[in-house]
Amino acid sequence: MGHEGVGFKSGSTRSGLPTTRSRVPRGRQIQKTFNNVKITVLCGFVTLLVLRGTIGVGNLTGSTLESEDQRVVEDIDRILREIRTDSEPEPQDPLSSLYFVNSTAHNWTYAEAVEAVNYSLGPKISDWDQQRQVWLSQNPNFPNQLLGKHRILLVTGSPPNPCDNAIGDHYLLKSTKNKIDYCRLHGIEIVYNMAHLDKELAGYWAKLPLIRKLMLSHPEIEWIWWMDSDAFFTDMAFELPLEKYKNHNLIIHGYPDLLFEQHSWIALNTGSFLFRNCQWSLDLLDAWAPMGPKGIVRELAGKILTANLKGRPAFEADDQSALIYLLTSQQDKWMSKVYVENSYYLHGFWAGLVDKYEEMIEQNHPGLGDERWPFVTHFVGCKPCGSYGDYPVERCLNSMERAFNFGDNQVLRLYGFAHKGLVSPKIKRVQDQTSDPLQVKEKLDMAARITM
Amino acid sequence: MNISSHKTWQRCNYSLFAGAKLVILCFLILTVTFLCTTYFTTSYSNLVQIVSKSNHLPIQQDKVVEGVGALPTVPQIKVVEGVKAKEESHFRSLNDSTYTLGPKINNWDLNRAKWLRHNPGFPNFFSGPKPRVLLVTGSSPKPCANPVGDHYQVKAIKNKIDYCRIHGIDIFYNNALLDAEMAGFWAKLPLLRTLLLSHPEVEFIWWMDSDAFFTDMAFEPPWDRYEPYNLVFHGWDHLVYKDKNWVGLNTGSFFLRNCQWSLDLLDAWAPMGPDGPIRDEAGKLLTGFLKGRPVFEADDQSAMVYLLVTQEDTWSDKVYFENSYCLHGFWESLVDRYEEMLEKNHPGLGDDRWPLVTHFVGCKPCGNFSEFPVERCLSKIDRAFNFADNQVLQMYGFAHKSLNTSSVKRVRNESVGPASAPDEVSIVLYPSVNDRN
């Protein structure tokens, strides 16, 4: 730097030049040198201070609070790790010992693998309809109808451990509240499952043993309604048209042309469907389960499904593809009792719906259940609980918040409130308090238009 | 010529040196300014932390913003609703009009009875003495500050779903702050009033904190015992009226009947609640008046004790202090005895042999500031949850491998038919349907 150069030539600010110039007294020169050095040192000190402040700890008053927070955060991290390691070890593939013993690996076929594993959901039951009738007649306190409506049990669940992504648990909570609200309004009971009942049928297959178990344990229940944890009710007024399903045992959202003509792997959606509590359903579950056991069976089944279903990527067998394959390959046996529903969104794929909520509020009203006011908005592919979704995380979370608030508005309306916007958790009063609340209650209509 | 050039040179040299000094000086000023700015902004955020710490409220980072569109590049640190920065003066002051929950209602009993007569499909009593009960609970609409907090909220609500399904009770899970003035523990008051007025068919509201877990799935509260009363707390008469103890009763789990008396009580209870100077001043009053109360702003529990003591003649005849079973069970003395309970006792007792409710007071799994070590709290909550879950899973032939793990094992072979008569240990877990018909 310039001034250093000047300083170094200490006292010689005027030296190095023709000697015609008079010399400055040495003492004065030394003093000037000292001044320069002092300034340099001072600036250096300030620079160090600034650097320490920006990249070091720096702040004096904040240090104690921060270290306390740091301790709490470390505690929580450690606890999270402990909780996660508490989870079950991966179920051992029952065939793995056979598979790897020989150096020349035997090429299992799917049929061989299924036979070797010999999985079953439980002891074979052949007379469930009669058993159930007998039980119902012996237990008149537990009828299968309430106020003229068949009893429905909504079944949902989530893994017993915290989500990999903390925000995932928050949306599980909101999704549960959403289901509690719909079911309270429609007299439906809820079972929230957090237990791995069957190690072999883990993951998306876990619903099969659960549904069977609940059917057999609750003969008073007429319909078991499985609903994924990432599906939200967005039409609080819509009632399932059960009379349409008098002669059917499986109600599932899908498209017949995609199913029968194209054999598409997304022709049906197993995120929201109803099973009647009867022998037929037990038989279907038994026929559905074989592709599920984790390990070699699921892998080989996955290859078969990818080969036979249109558009299916290569991965292990999932329950949805397996059901589609089962129903299309054994059409005559099963399809007469399956109702492929698409007149309303028993399952509504979120991407095409979430941006239209404001438009729906403006033009339509609750109770329709279809694309004008979707019954269920299902966040397929978002996986907020896990680490890897198929869509950008922020878009998913933003959209889930909107769907939740869209549904919540229809509940809050009954109490005179609404969300300030579809993305805001804050609410505002939309109806003044009155000293005659029952008069207001008389006029409440769940299917009335909503004003934001 | 030489002299002048020398002088010029001298001037140049001098000005070079002075210029250098000027540069140094500017640099110095800039760095000092920068230092000061960083110091003051960080100390503001510390202030925010201190304020919300004392209010037992977590700071949330807003991940979701209003309006559809791009998210802000800098996450904004917002204080939870209700705790405004001290610079704002939106707080109700002691000189303003008294806070009210809503317009005064005077003829609720009459109007409600009329409504019930006109709506026979929504009776307030099922056959026998069993009233229609609405369990009310809830939590903040924003994600917990603690990353595992929401997971425990999910477990808590599952636990309540199970109990309520078995006992034919409806649940209202509240996620909304109905009145910004009554934030925090006071939020239940406007909620209770709203629900009482909107659900005339409900006979009792059962308020339950989100950190309270059902641990006796078989126990049914003795409703006929409460026929002459409108408000049932877990607590002790003498601790409240004689001792004026601030924990003489617990507002974490209580029954409130749907009637005019309850509306009046809520109105009398509310005035200490509004956030700001009123809550602070009331807190001081309560600390001075009640035994054992630490110094902090007014809370609903202390205010209730104060109300009952100072207006004993008005309210006490309709308030029942239940201590024959754990309508609220303080967790510390219960959670380590579950194995002993399993060995010696059975579900259905509801008292400290098999508590109805295990309440994790002070744990605050959602926030960052717990009165107890975080690890102890969370591991004990897991135990309480598993203890209760076992009573449900048993019906399906499963149980947790131990109270400390989420893994389950089969405890009964698969049957080929529906469950027949319940054995001694399992309980009839089917909803009492005839009552709901």
Side-chain angles (χ1 to χ4, degrees):
Chain A
M1 282 175 76
H3 71 279
E4 270 185 53
V6 168
F8 254 118
K9 291 188 189 122
S10 63
S12 54
T13 46
R14 295 178 204 162
S15 70
L17 281 170
T19 49
T20 45
R21 206 164 40 83
S22 58
R23 282 205 162 214
V24 180
R26 207 176 193 92
R28 184 105 177 93
Q29 282 178 7
I30 292 170
Q31 198 177 10
K32 285 212 161 127
T33 312
F34 263 118
N35 281 342
N36 294 337
V37 168
K38 261 196 279 187
I39 290 167
T40 315
V41 166
L42 191 69
C43 291
F45 177 67
V46 167
T47 315
L48 277 171
L49 209 65
V50 167
L51 286 173
R52 190 167 172 273
T54 46
I55 48 181
V57 173
N59 211 316
L60 305 167
T61 55
S63 60
T64 46
L65 278 172
E66 279 179 28
S67 63
E68 230 180 77
D69 285 348
Q70 192 59 27
R71 260 206 307 281
V72 174
V73 168
E74 277 165 12
D75 267 343
I76 291 169
D77 276 341
R78 183 168 45 80
I79 291 160
L80 263 174
R81 277 200 300 276
E82 280 173 18
I83 294 173
R84 291 210 176 102
T85 53
D86 170 49
S87 62
E88 303 237 336
E90 278 285 302
Q92 227 200 356
D93 177 3
L95 291 181
S96 60
S97 54
L98 301 168
Y99 198 64
F100 291 111
V101 146
N102 300 332
S103 50
T104 51
H106 174 99
N107 269 340
W108 291 88
T109 62
Y110 168 69
E112 284 173 335
V114 167
E115 208 186 301
V117 167
N118 199 21
Y119 174 82
S120 81
L121 281 170
K124 181 83 185 126
I125 297 177
S126 311
D127 58 346
W128 178 236
D129 291 337
Q130 291 91 302
Q131 281 199 49
R132 199 175 157 234
Q133 280 310 314
V134 163
W135 191 94
L136 284 170
S137 59
Q138 286 175 350
N139 292 273
N141 285 342
F142 303 100
N144 65 335
Q145 289 198 40
L146 269 181
L147 295 171
K149 207 179 94 165
H150 274 141
R151 293 181 65 181
I152 304 176
L153 181 66
L154 186 104
V155 184
T156 185
S158 59
N161 295 322
C163 290
D164 289 337
N165 193 349
I167 198 77
D169 276 313
H170 181 68
Y171 283 97
L172 275 176
L173 184 67
K174 285 193 135 130
S175 153
T176 309
K177 169 190 157 64
N178 172 272
K179 293 177 174 80
I180 289 174
D181 284 334
Y182 181 86
C183 292
R184 182 182 64 249
L185 291 165
H186 294 266
I188 293 172
E189 302 185 51
I190 303 177
V191 164
Y192 193 100
N193 181 54
M194 277 174 112
H196 292 310
L197 298 188
D198 188 328
K199 296 176 195 36
E200 285 185 75
L201 288 203
Y204 16 65
W205 287 92
K207 58 180 82 104
L208 268 71
L210 179 62
I211 291 173
R212 177 187 152 105
K213 174 59 66 176
L214 288 171
M215 273 194 213
L216 297 179
S217 306
H218 291 286
E220 76 280 10
I221 293 292
E222 183 69 19
W223 290 99
I224 299 250
W225 183 353
W226 167 265
M227 199 154 153
D228 277 357
S229 59
D230 56 1
F232 286 74
F233 283 107
T234 34
D235 190 338
M236 291 293 175
F238 186 81
E239 180 84 21
L240 286 176
L242 290 178
E243 34 339 306
K244 260 167 84 173
Y245 312 132
K246 274 200 310 275
N247 299 318
H248 297 89
N249 296 332
L250 171 61
I251 321 302
I252 188 163
H253 186 273
Y255 301 97
D257 54 338
L258 281 181
L259 181 63
F260 300 118
E261 285 159 39
Q262 296 190 42
H263 295 236
S264 162
W265 80 297
I266 48 170
L268 302 175
N269 189 283
T270 51
S272 171
F273 60 89
L274 287 101
F275 254 119
R276 191 186 291 275
N277 191 353
C278 60
Q279 182 62 48
W280 183 97
S281 300
L282 293 176
D283 294 338
L284 181 68
L285 287 170
D286 282 338
W288 190 1
M291 285 192 167
K294 198 147 174 62
I296 194 74
V297 171
R298 212 186 273 190
E299 279 171 40
L300 291 173
K303 295 194 170 82
I304 296 176
L305 294 172
T306 306
N308 284 289
L309 298 179
K310 180 177 172 202
R312 188 182 193 272
F315 68 109
E316 56 175 20
D318 64 300
D319 60 312
Q320 183 171 297
S321 311
L323 183 66
I324 292 170
Y325 182 71
L326 174 67
L327 293 180
T328 49
S329 54
Q330 295 180 30
Q331 225 171 309
D332 298 330
K333 185 168 180 197
W334 303 108
M335 283 314 295
S336 60
K337 294 289 185 183
V338 177
Y339 196 107
V340 180
E341 177 65 85
N342 49 39
S343 67
Y344 62 90
Y345 280 128
L346 180 57
H347 140 84
F349 182 56
W350 65 282
L353 298 170
V354 289
D355 295 318
K356 301 196 187 133
Y357 288 145
E358 282 87 358
E359 191 188 307
M360 292 173 193
I361 292 170
E362 220 174 300
Q363 297 173 4
N364 301 317
H365 59 88
L368 303 169
D370 52 24
E371 72 280 352
R372 295 170 296 170
W373 201 283
F375 182 36
V376 170
T377 303
H378 185 192
F379 289 87
V380 189
C382 271
K383 299 193 188 37
C385 192
S387 317
Y388 312 104
D390 301 333
Y391 301 91
V393 173
E394 291 297 348
R395 169 137 170 83
C396 273
L397 297 182
N398 204 341
S399 306
M400 286 173 87
E401 188 72 23
R402 280 167 60 76
F404 172 80
N405 290 336
F406 183 74
D408 200 29
N409 272 344
Q410 298 167 51
V411 177
L412 288 175
R413 181 171 58 159
L414 301 172
Y415 307 104
F417 289 90
H419 284 264
K420 282 186 176 170
L422 284 186
V423 190
S424 174
K426 298 186 197 169
I427 59 169
K428 61 181 181 200
R429 197 174 266 290
V430 292
Q431 184 154 62
D432 289 328
Q433 292 202 67
T434 157
S435 54
D436 193 0
L438 290 177
Q439 219 187 33
V440 172
K441 189 180 167 77
E442 291 296 306
K443 301 197 183 100
L444 284 176
D445 177 11
M446 287 253 19
R449 292 176 72 120
I450 292 205
T451 43
M452 288 276 289
Chain B
M1 186 74 157
N2 271 344
I3 290 169
S4 63
S5 68
H6 159 69
K7 278 207 170 113
T8 325
W9 183 88
Q10 276 190 347
R11 221 172 14 253
C12 276
N13 218 5
Y14 181 71
S15 64
L16 184 74
F17 185 58
K21 265 198 191 166
L22 204 66
V23 165
I24 295 159
L25 201 65
C26 289
F27 180 69
L28 203 68
I29 291 169
L30 279 169
T31 49
V32 168
T33 320
F34 179 70
L35 202 66
C36 286
T37 335
T38 40
Y39 175 76
F40 283 120
T41 47
T42 42
S43 83
Y44 171 70
S45 69
N46 283 336
L47 176 70
V48 161
Q49 285 202 21
I50 291 165
V51 166
S52 42
K53 219 207 279 202
S54 67
N55 286 332
H56 301 282
L57 291 168
I59 304 170
Q60 306 297 349
Q61 278 208 332
D62 257 26
K63 291 199 170 71
V64 171
V65 290
E66 294 183 18
V68 182
L71 295 160
T73 47
V74 177
Q76 296 165 329
I77 298 176
K78 276 194 193 154
V79 180
V80 167
E81 191 81 62
V83 178
K84 303 175 180 77
K86 296 286 188 193
E87 290 95 67
E88 293 184 44
S89 51
H90 295 165
F91 292 139
R92 185 181 295 261
S93 80
L94 291 153
N95 300 320
D96 291 333
S97 56
T98 314
Y99 171 84
T100 58
L101 287 167
K104 183 88 182 101
I105 292 178
N106 289 315
N107 43 10
W108 179 239
D109 289 336
L110 209 67
N111 287 336
R112 184 174 170 244
K114 205 163 78 175
W115 188 93
L116 286 169
R117 274 197 309 274
H118 289 159
N119 292 274
F122 297 91
N124 57 331
F125 276 92
F126 303 118
S127 58
K130 187 172 157 77
R132 186 191 296 265
V133 180
L134 179 69
L135 186 108
V136 182
T137 184
S139 57
S140 165
K142 298 183 181 171
C144 287
N146 180 349
V148 276
D150 278 309
H151 176 69
Y152 285 92
Q153 301 278 34
V154 173
K155 282 185 133 154
I157 189 59
K158 173 205 154 52
N159 170 271
K160 293 176 176 81
I161 288 173
D162 284 335
Y163 182 88
C164 291
R165 179 181 68 250
I166 292 161
H167 293 266
I169 294 174
D170 277 328
I171 300 178
F172 188 90
Y173 193 95
N174 183 53
N175 233 354
L177 183 62
L178 301 189
D179 189 333
E181 274 194 274
M182 303 284 268
F185 16 62
W186 289 94
K188 59 175 79 95
L189 266 70
L191 177 64
L192 289 173
R193 178 186 154 107
T194 305
L195 289 173
L196 286 173
L197 298 179
S198 306
H199 290 286
E201 74 280 12
V202 167
E203 183 63 21
F204 271 110
I205 286 195
W206 186 347
W207 168 265
M208 201 151 151
D209 277 357
S210 62
D211 56 1
F213 286 72
F214 283 107
T215 35
D216 189 338
M217 290 295 174
F219 185 85
E220 176 81 16
W223 301 111
D224 44 359
R225 189 186 302 174
Y226 308 136
E227 210 228 301
Y229 303 102
N230 294 334
L231 178 55
V232 181
F233 284 117
H234 182 272
W236 295 265
D237 265 75
H238 63 277
L239 282 182
V240 171
Y241 296 119
K242 294 199 177 55
D243 220 27
K244 302 194 182 87
N245 197 318
W246 82 297
V247 291
L249 55 83
N250 189 284
T251 53
S253 171
F254 62 88
F255 305 127
L256 183 69
R257 193 185 291 276
N258 193 348
C259 57
Q260 181 66 47
W261 182 98
S262 299
L263 296 176
D264 297 338
L265 178 85
L266 289 172
D267 283 339
W269 193 3
M272 286 191 172
D275 207 358
I278 293 180
R279 212 187 273 192
D280 295 335
E281 283 305 310
K284 292 180 191 149
L285 171 69
L286 292 170
T287 304
F289 186 85
L290 298 173
K291 179 175 170 191
R293 187 183 195 272
V295 177
F296 68 110
E297 54 176 17
D299 64 302
D300 59 314
Q301 183 171 300
S302 311
M304 174 52 71
V305 178
Y306 179 81
L307 180 68
L308 292 179
V309 168
T310 51
Q311 298 180 32
E312 193 176 335
D313 298 331
T314 317
W315 309 107
S316 65
D317 60 332
K318 294 289 184 186
V319 179
Y320 186 79
F321 290 104
E322 178 64 83
N323 45 51
S324 67
Y325 65 90
C326 295
L327 177 57
H328 140 85
F330 183 55
W331 64 283
E332 275 219 289
S333 57
L334 299 169
V335 288
D336 293 316
R337 297 199 293 118
Y338 288 141
E339 282 85 358
E340 188 193 310
M341 293 174 194
L342 283 164
E343 216 175 306
K344 298 187 184 158
N345 300 320
H346 57 87
L349 302 169
D351 52 25
D352 57 0
R353 294 171 297 171
W354 199 286
L356 172 65
V357 172
T358 303
H359 186 190
F360 289 86
V361 189
C363 271
K364 298 192 183 40
C366 192
N368 261 333
F369 312 105
S370 160
E371 292 165 34
F372 300 93
V374 174
E375 187 159 10
R376 176 164 162 74
C377 272
L378 298 185
S379 63
K380 298 307 177 187
I381 291 177
D382 279 330
R383 281 169 58 79
F385 174 83
N386 292 335
F387 181 72
D389 199 29
N390 274 345
Q391 298 167 48
V392 179
L393 287 175
Q394 239 189 69
M395 191 175 79
Y396 306 113
F398 288 86
H400 285 262
K401 287 182 180 166
S402 87
L403 289 186
N404 301 309
T405 174
S406 58
S407 312
V408 302
K409 62 177 185 218
R410 197 179 274 287
V411 293
R412 199 171 63 231
N413 286 334
E414 278 281 352
S415 63
V416 288
S420 50
D423 58 29
E424 323 172 342
V425 183
S426 76
I427 49 192
V428 180
L429 292 179
Y430 300 103
S432 349
V433 171
N434 57 329
D435 297 337
R436 291 178 61 91
N437 219 340

